[in-house]
């Protein structure tokens, strides 16, 4: 079946560093979504991407829809403590089904 | 109102109990979803309701029974659950199932089955 490969699985960074994570697949997607989930809470939508090549920013977050429609990345600039959490990519397939990546756990070292 | 609410926040139940999870949204969304999420895993789709009709059932055991009384409410009835059903149950909504993939999630119900 279809699956998303999200990497890295976890990251340990210093406050102020930039962060980059990505999702890849062998399937073609119509839409890419990036969510953040804090412990004990539901995922919160960060960015939605609708067109191949699209580059979208939300504050310190920037995400891009790959031109092959099979991948997407999320960058976070100048990380701060509240960026800690789990980041999920999600892709919408042509049949409207949405599948989630396994998540990237972001840790910020004191 | 731009949020999805879920009650209860926590639920502990025995394997012979019957309980219900509730979800509500007032964003005018016409698609609502139930997800199950185990620790350190992504959300796993269980059911999709589109315009108050069940559109997708991802081969979920019959001990989970969804209900959509109206466009704002979504319930999940639980009966004879197993300990392995313990998880975070997330409700989400979107403008529609087709063409509107942005899903807005509630905070979840943490379910423990003893």
């Amino acid at each position: 079946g279809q699956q998303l490969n999200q990497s890295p699985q976890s990251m340990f960074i210093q406050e102020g560093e930039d962060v980059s994570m990505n999702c890849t697949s062998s399937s073609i997607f119509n839409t890419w979504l990036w969510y953040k989930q804090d412990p004990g809470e539901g995922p919160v939508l960060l960015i939605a991407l609708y067109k191949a090549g699209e580059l979208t920013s939300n504050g310190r977050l920037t995400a891009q829809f790959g031109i092959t429609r099979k991948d997407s990345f999320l960058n976070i600039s100048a990380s701060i403590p509240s960026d800690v959490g789990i980041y999920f990519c999600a892709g919408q397939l042509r049949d409207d089904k949405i599948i989630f990546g396994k998540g990237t756990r972001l840790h910020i070292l004191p | 109102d731009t949020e999805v609410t879920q009650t209860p926040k926590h639920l502990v139940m025995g394997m012979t109990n019957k309980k219900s999870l509730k979800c509500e949204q007032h964003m005018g969304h016409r698609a609502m979803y139930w997800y199950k999420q185990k620790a350190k895993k992504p959300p796993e789709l269980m059911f999709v309701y589109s315009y108050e009709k069940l559109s997708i059932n991802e081969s979920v055991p019959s001990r989970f029974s969804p209900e959509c009384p109206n466009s704002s409410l979504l319930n999940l009835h639980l009966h004879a659950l197993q300990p392995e059903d313990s998880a975070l149950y997330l409700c989400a909504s979107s403008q529609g199932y087709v063409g509107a993939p942005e899903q807005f999630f509630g905070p979840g119900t943490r379910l423990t089955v003893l």
Side-chain angles (χ1 to χ4, degrees):
Chain A
Q2 300 100 342
Q3 61 179 358
L4 289 179
N5 302 307
Q6 185 170 352
S7 65
Q9 186 174 353
S10 64
M11 303 182 72
F12 292 82
I13 62 167
Q14 300 281 350
E15 184 177 349
E17 285 185 17
D18 296 343
V19 172
S20 184
M21 60 191 77
N22 67 82
C23 280
T24 62
S25 177
S26 58
S27 300
I28 292 175
F29 292 90
N30 285 344
T31 305
W32 283 97
L33 307 164
W34 284 93
Y35 287 89
K36 179 186 181 226
Q37 187 173 23
D38 291 327
E41 299 293 331
V44 173
L45 182 63
L46 300 173
I47 292 179
L49 302 159
Y50 305 99
K51 296 180 182 178
E54 180 180 352
L55 184 71
T56 298
S57 293
N58 178 6
R60 293 178 296 106
L61 278 60
T62 302
Q64 187 160 27
F65 194 143
I67 56 174
T68 65
R69 307 184 71 92
K70 295 181 180 181
D71 62 335
S72 177
F73 72 74
L74 174 71
N75 288 341
I76 305 173
S77 63
S79 58
I80 60 177
S82 61
D83 291 334
V84 166
I86 304 176
Y87 292 80
F88 290 104
C89 64
Q92 184 190 37
L93 296 162
R94 289 174 172 171
D95 63 358
D96 293 311
K97 183 176 180 181
I98 291 178
I99 56 174
F100 282 80
K102 292 187 177 180
T104 294
R105 287 153 187 79
L106 180 62
H107 306 269
I108 296 183
L109 301 170
Chain B
D1 189 350
T2 59
E3 66 174 2
V4 177
T5 58
Q6 290 187 243
T7 55
K9 190 165 181 60
H10 301 277
L11 178 62
V12 179
M13 60 187 290
M15 289 190 285
T16 59
N17 292 157
K18 286 185 180 180
K19 296 287 185 183
S20 296
L21 309 184
K22 297 186 182 300
C23 174
E24 190 166 3
Q25 58 87 17
H26 295 288
M27 295 180 278
H29 288 174
R30 302 313 301 266
M32 296 186 77
Y33 309 76
W34 280 115
Y35 286 87
K36 174 183 178 180
Q37 187 178 29
K38 300 287 266 186
K40 299 185 179 181
K41 299 289 186 183
E44 185 181 328
L45 184 65
M46 301 173 72
F47 303 103
V48 179
Y49 272 83
S50 179
Y51 288 84
E52 299 153 52
K53 293 185 179 177
L54 184 63
S55 294
I56 292 179
N57 176 341
E58 292 283 4
S59 302
V60 179
S62 60
R63 57 186 184 268
F64 296 91
S65 176
E67 177 195 18
C68 189
N70 60 55
S71 60
S72 299
L73 294 173
L74 186 66
N75 298 322
L76 186 63
H77 303 297
L78 314 172
H79 174 55
L81 295 193
Q82 303 296 311
E84 60 264 28
D85 296 322
S86 299
L88 181 68
Y89 287 84
L90 294 164
C91 173
S93 70
S94 63
Q95 286 188 341
Y97 181 60
V98 176
E102 304 89 341
Q103 294 181 24
F104 295 85
F105 285 83
T109 294
R110 175 71 62 188
L111 174 66
T112 303
V113 182
L114 301 176

